[in-house]
Amino acid sequence: MQKLNFTVDAALLQELGERLIGQPHIALAELIKNSYDADAFTCIVTFGEDSIEIADDGHGMSFDEFRQFWLRIGTTHKLEDRLSRELHRPLTGSKGVGRLAVQFLAREMELRTVSKSSPQETLHALIDWSSIVRGKDLASVEVAWALEPHGSVFPYDSKSGTTITLKGLKDIWNADRIQDLGEQLWSLRSPFRRRHRSPTTRTAEDFDVSVIAPEIEDAQQRFDAHINALRSNWRARIRGTLREGRLNRPASVVVEFKDGYPAGMPAEQFEQSVSLPIRGSVEPLLDRVSFEILVFKLEGRQAGGVLVSQLREYLEKFGNVAIYDAGFRLPYYGMEHDWLNIAADQTARLSISQLLPQSLRIGQRYMLDLPDPRRLFGAVDINTSHERAVAEKAGETPGNFLQLQPGRDRLHDNQAHDQLRDLVRFAIDFYANRYRLREARRVEQVRTVERATVKQARALEVLEENRESIPQGVFNEVRKEVSDALKTSRAEEEEQDRRAALLAPLASAGMAALALSHELSRERRLLKSAIDQLRTIARTRQLSELDGVISSLSEAHERLQNLQGLFIPLLSDEDKSARHRLRVKPIVEQTVNAVRTIMPGVTFETNGIPDDLRFPVGSAAEWNALIQNSLTNSWNAMLQTPKPSIRFDGGQRGRSTEYLRISDNGKGLGIEIAESDRLFEPFERLLELDPDQVSIAIGGQGLGLTICRMIARQRQADIHFVEPIEGYSTTLELTWRA
């Protein structure tokens, strides 16, 4: 019996690329992963007009490796090796199809690589993928190559590395695809990475990807979006700073909780000073330390589209608290070593900290809230050279400072090391203490509170039960008072229930508005992508007739952006927190810019606001809401005004009062100023709209001014109508103490 061999059609490369890779950003990610597997510390991706260059400082490829592995489809050496050659990173590829990404992305490829095993020569290879002919054997695809004297340039002037240049791109790259690329690669990058660190201070965790794309706006920021979103998912942040500790300066510890952690509690920050040593009678042996530790909650929805499973896997790799010595990561400290004894104390179910002062020892067993090391993500920054210099200058006993062991992977286990551990553990224990305090407050707040009618009805029952022992006159008088109070309370509760019923659909509308904001973000992103692609097509094909279309779409994108500005303060934790006196003019201008889209034709005048005028302590979200509600009232009053105008002015009256006035040229109040306070009552409406104006009115439920007064009173301010300024029909004035 005769035998035949299988042959492979050259077009299989294209088929495999489309089926196994599918999208450009995944294909490019495969090439960058090859740099990671090659033990590169840096990969620079440069986007040209019709090219992409991927350059790394890895160990490169010899000619034999290029021939045996790169040119052979489906090799399994990564699956067999599992770890990278030098840094022992877990290899990211296993199917041997990463090089298919090259032909999927572009028509031509140029490769230059220098191997550490042969640093004197450069392997130079060229492949023209357009030469692939369907029907011919795969072996017919030719690769031009040559060994040349080493003259290649790699990141950090590395003597080894690889540069791949793709020419004749098959797809248009824009900001969205750059962001998708970053999402593919974020798990390879340490969030505490030190950019542009010296090669002598880098470890296996350091893998930095720089994106250079002059034609794509904010390319690096879009590439980093996903990993930055990871950092935003923390629920609590622990920070510590020690300066001149050898001079008995205390360390400062700050614990910051985000809104809703624990559930139902507002954002809050706690500060505590602590002097070294925390335990024992030895003098301070640390001079300069700083650290930041993030606490995550590995359940529920995470911000930025990060999946809980992704976050958990990432923290298994990079979690716990690391130590950096002058920027150099000490490998010993991380998930593999419980140097802070957190896991040990959890196992022992420690309930009281031995480090915190008595004044912080609340009655609860707060140490049961120590965060698991797999929920922590932190870095401690020290400098052993500085510690040595300070100790020697002070004439300290030799070795009585932070210093590295000979292997340079960890610190000597001396008294200075103990003080460092105690300081960081003090901060983590302080977090557990404050978390339990907040949890206790939350429980107290959510306890059921009886309605007044229930208490009063029970009082009547007690009266009836004790009727025989109470003088008749006293009984009748008390019973009448309680009965009257019960009737009044029932009437008030019925009114509150009626208002709550009216507020329910408004609350639903508010939730829908927030959902609309997210939808607007998606639509803006799609529109921006379409505009970028049209610009690229118009430029490369010289189609000037597209300029008008691009201009119209850009204006529509700007209008969507302004409309979304109405919701931005409601979505930002920073804008919802109140710690400072914010400047009035920027808040007003931001709000005005946001409402222009829904208030067309209105002239806004803000020059009357002094640049140094500041609101009382309050959040941007509060003042934004107050101004928005004031402006919507003005809009409804100006629907019949030919040239609607709104003027802002403010300043200081006397020594103790500051004010902001909002004036419009609408219909006016329709009542005397002396009676205008009733307009701030819920659901109070005097303005009658013509039927043909109802569709363009904003709000109209009678709650705008109620919200304004509620916000003002919350911030010890007052809001009321005053005599209109000249040229206007209504003036609303917000006043507060200077």
Side-chain angles (χ1 to χ4, degrees):
M1 179 176 287
Q2 300 184 56
K3 297 181 179 179
L4 294 172
N5 292 328
F6 283 101
T7 60
V8 179
D9 194 305
L12 179 64
L13 286 177
Q14 184 175 355
E15 293 288 335
L16 285 174
E18 291 179 354
R19 294 181 181 276
L20 295 179
I21 298 175
Q23 297 189 53
H25 66 274
I26 297 177
L28 186 53
E30 289 296 322
L31 298 181
I32 298 172
K33 288 178 181 178
N34 283 345
S35 297
Y36 179 84
D37 291 344
D39 289 329
F41 294 115
T42 303
C43 181
I44 301 175
V45 185
T46 305
F47 291 82
E49 185 172 343
D50 192 31
S51 66
I52 301 175
E53 181 185 271
I54 305 99
D56 69 50
D57 55 357
H59 54 57
M61 285 184 289
S62 66
F63 174 72
D64 288 340
E65 290 170 331
F66 178 70
R67 181 181 57 188
Q68 294 174 19
F69 301 131
W70 207 91
L71 290 181
R72 185 173 179 83
I73 306 299
T75 53
T76 59
H77 68 286
K78 289 189 178 182
L79 184 62
E80 295 166 356
D81 294 342
R82 295 183 180 275
L83 298 176
S84 66
R85 183 183 305 172
E86 297 175 2
L87 300 179
H88 305 296
R89 293 169 172 165
L91 295 176
T92 61
S94 60
K95 299 181 179 62
V97 296
R99 75 276 294 145
L100 296 177
V102 175
Q103 67 84 31
F104 181 81
L105 289 167
R107 297 176 181 83
E108 299 178 20
M109 184 211 78
E110 181 177 11
L111 178 144
R112 293 182 183 274
T113 182
V114 175
S115 171
K116 282 190 175 182
S117 61
S118 51
Q120 72 281 359
E121 60 186 18
T122 298
L123 171 61
H124 183 195
L126 297 170
I127 303 178
D128 182 0
W129 298 107
S130 63
S131 66
I132 295 177
V133 179
R134 185 177 294 276
K136 288 191 176 183
D137 271 4
L138 182 59
S140 68
V141 180
E142 294 182 345
V143 178
W145 66 275
L147 291 175
E148 304 169 348
H150 182 9
S152 300
V153 178
F154 302 111
Y156 279 112
D157 294 325
S158 173
K159 295 181 179 179
S160 64
T162 299
T163 298
I164 294 175
T165 305
L166 308 176
K167 301 176 182 178
L169 302 182
K170 296 181 179 180
D171 294 279
I172 296 173
W173 285 83
N174 55 30
D176 290 338
R177 281 191 169 162
I178 296 292
Q179 185 165 331
D180 292 338
L181 176 66
E183 188 170 342
Q184 289 290 316
L185 298 166
W186 73 278
S187 62
L188 302 180
R189 307 165 63 209
S190 168
F192 285 110
R193 65 192 185 283
R194 268 60 169 173
R195 277 188 178 275
H196 310 303
R197 285 172 52 193
S198 165
T200 60
T201 64
R202 294 181 295 187
T203 68
E205 287 184 0
D206 290 294
F207 180 63
D208 190 54
V209 182
S210 295
V211 175
I212 302 173
E215 299 298 318
I216 301 176
E217 186 178 357
D218 298 329
Q220 187 68 52
Q221 290 89 326
R222 294 295 293 271
F223 180 78
D224 292 334
H226 205 74
I227 197 168
N228 289 338
L230 167 77
R231 290 205 63 171
S232 70
N233 280 302
W234 58 268
R235 303 303 176 91
R237 177 165 58 185
I238 306 166
R239 288 172 291 151
T241 305
L242 174 68
R243 293 288 181 269
E244 297 184 328
R246 289 270 187 171
L247 298 179
N248 292 307
R249 302 282 194 272
S252 171
V253 174
V254 177
V255 175
E256 180 182 356
F257 290 91
K258 273 190 176 179
D259 185 49
Y261 183 73
M265 295 300 292
E268 192 172 10
Q269 180 173 296
F270 300 92
E271 298 184 22
Q272 183 71 28
S273 294
V274 57
S275 296
L276 298 182
I278 300 175
R279 290 188 291 188
S281 57
V282 183
E283 69 277 5
L285 301 176
L286 297 178
D287 190 68
R288 185 187 300 167
V289 178
S290 65
F291 55 86
E292 179 184 40
I293 303 169
L294 307 181
V295 183
F296 293 84
K297 183 179 180 183
L298 300 181
E299 59 185 47
R301 186 175 181 179
Q302 306 289 318
V306 178
L307 300 177
V308 172
S309 58
Q310 290 179 321
L311 180 58
R312 186 176 290 113
E313 181 179 345
Y314 194 68
L315 292 179
E316 286 284 353
K317 180 179 180 181
F318 293 112
N320 210 341
V321 181
I323 296 181
Y324 289 84
D325 180 14
F328 179 78
R329 167 84 158 80
L330 302 184
Y332 178 83
Y333 304 95
M335 281 303 300
E336 295 183 0
H337 298 93
D338 185 25
W339 72 283
L340 293 169
N341 297 327
I342 297 175
D345 286 345
Q346 286 180 323
T347 301
R349 298 189 62 79
L350 184 71
S351 60
I352 300 296
S353 171
Q354 301 303 310
L355 300 173
L356 298 185
Q358 188 67 37
S359 60
L360 293 175
R361 295 187 178 181
I362 59 177
Q364 313 288 336
R365 300 178 67 190
Y366 57 85
M367 289 296 284
L368 298 180
D369 289 313
L370 268 180
D372 189 285
R374 290 168 295 184
R375 291 204 297 124
L376 295 179
F377 193 60
V380 178
D381 284 304
I382 61 171
N383 189 319
T384 52
S385 296
H386 171 80
E387 297 295 327
R388 174 189 291 273
V390 173
E392 291 178 349
K393 184 177 180 180
E396 292 286 349
T397 304
N400 220 9
F401 50 84
L402 289 179
Q403 55 183 303
L404 292 172
Q405 291 191 5
R408 296 187 62 82
D409 69 332
R410 61 183 294 186
L411 299 168
H412 271 291
D413 192 10
N414 56 17
Q415 291 178 321
H417 173 270
D418 292 342
Q419 290 189 14
L420 176 66
R421 183 182 57 217
D422 284 352
L423 175 59
V424 179
R425 262 305 300 265
F426 176 94
I428 296 174
D429 291 4
F430 183 50
Y431 154 83
N433 177 280
R434 297 297 90 180
Y435 179 89
R436 179 54 64 97
L437 176 66
R438 283 167 59 81
E439 177 66 18
R441 290 176 182 170
R442 183 192 68 82
V443 171
E444 185 67 26
Q445 289 176 5
V446 299
R447 285 177 180 169
T448 302
V449 179
E450 290 182 329
R451 286 189 168 198
T453 52
V454 175
K455 295 179 179 179
Q456 290 159 354
R458 189 166 59 248
L460 283 176
E461 292 175 2
V462 173
L463 272 175
E464 290 292 344
E465 291 172 0
N466 295 275
R467 184 169 189 165
E468 299 299 326
S469 58
I470 300 175
Q472 187 65 37
V474 174
F475 173 83
N476 291 338
E477 186 175 351
V478 173
R479 189 178 188 283
K480 181 179 183 304
E481 291 294 331
V482 176
S483 298
D484 290 344
L486 178 58
K487 290 178 182 178
T488 302
S489 296
R490 281 175 175 165
E492 290 176 351
E493 289 179 4
E494 288 174 359
E495 177 63 17
Q496 290 175 357
D497 290 343
R498 183 182 72 83
R499 292 180 178 180
L502 291 171
L503 285 171
L506 294 176
S508 299
M511 294 169 64
L514 295 181
L516 174 62
S517 177
H518 291 290
E519 185 66 19
L520 284 174
S521 294
R522 191 179 71 86
E523 295 299 325
R524 280 182 52 214
R525 184 174 172 179
L526 293 174
L527 183 57
K528 184 68 165 60
S529 177
I531 293 171
D532 290 342
Q533 292 186 45
L534 280 175
R535 281 202 179 103
T536 303
I537 293 170
R539 184 180 65 251
T540 56
R541 301 184 183 179
Q542 297 183 345
L543 299 175
S544 59
E545 56 267 29
L546 289 179
D547 291 346
V549 177
I550 293 172
S551 178
S552 298
L553 290 175
S554 298
E555 290 174 1
H557 179 267
E558 184 177 356
R559 288 195 297 271
L560 281 176
Q561 185 174 5
N562 289 337
L563 185 59
Q564 191 182 9
L566 291 169
F567 309 107
I568 287 175
L570 302 178
L571 303 175
S572 166
D573 285 336
E574 183 177 350
D575 281 342
K576 287 186 289 187
S577 62
R579 299 177 189 163
H580 308 289
R581 294 190 63 187
L582 302 175
R583 289 171 55 216
V584 174
K585 196 167 187 176
I587 298 291
V588 170
E589 290 176 343
Q590 177 193 25
T591 309
V592 166
N593 288 334
V595 301
R596 285 186 191 276
T597 303
I598 58 174
M599 297 174 64
V602 177
T603 300
F604 295 94
E605 175 59 57
T606 61
N607 290 336
I609 305 175
D611 290 337
D612 59 351
L613 183 64
R614 293 180 180 271
F615 283 117
V617 172
S619 69
E622 289 170 309
W623 303 127
N624 182 281
L626 185 146
I627 296 167
Q628 272 192 43
N629 279 286
S630 302
L631 293 180
T632 55
N633 272 355
S634 294
W635 167 258
N636 293 337
M638 297 187 301
L639 290 177
Q640 292 182 335
T641 303
K643 295 182 179 180
S645 174
I646 296 177
R647 172 183 171 81
F648 292 87
D649 64 275
Q652 184 164 334
R653 188 179 297 124
R655 294 184 177 180
S656 59
T657 303
E658 292 177 324
Y659 68 92
L660 172 68
R661 292 190 300 220
I662 307 171
S663 304
D664 67 67
N665 60 349
K667 283 186 174 182
L669 296 179
I671 59 174
E672 297 294 328
I673 294 293
E675 301 175 17
S676 62
D677 266 8
R678 68 186 179 94
L679 297 177
F680 292 90
E681 293 298 320
F683 313 109
E684 187 71 31
R685 296 169 54 194
L686 293 182
L687 182 65
E688 296 294 334
L689 299 174
D690 293 341
D692 59 343
Q693 296 173 337
V694 172
S695 62
I696 59 174
I698 304 174
Q701 300 297 324
L703 285 172
L705 291 175
T706 304
I707 293 171
C708 290
R709 175 157 288 182
M710 179 181 67
I711 294 171
R713 287 178 173 173
Q714 178 71 18
R715 295 303 174 186
Q716 286 74 53
D718 191 18
I719 190 167
H720 45 268
F721 287 101
V722 297
E723 289 295 332
I725 66 174
E726 185 177 354
Y728 291 86
S729 54
T730 304
T731 295
L732 183 67
E733 185 176 77
L734 177 72
T735 59
W736 62 91
R737 291 184 63 83

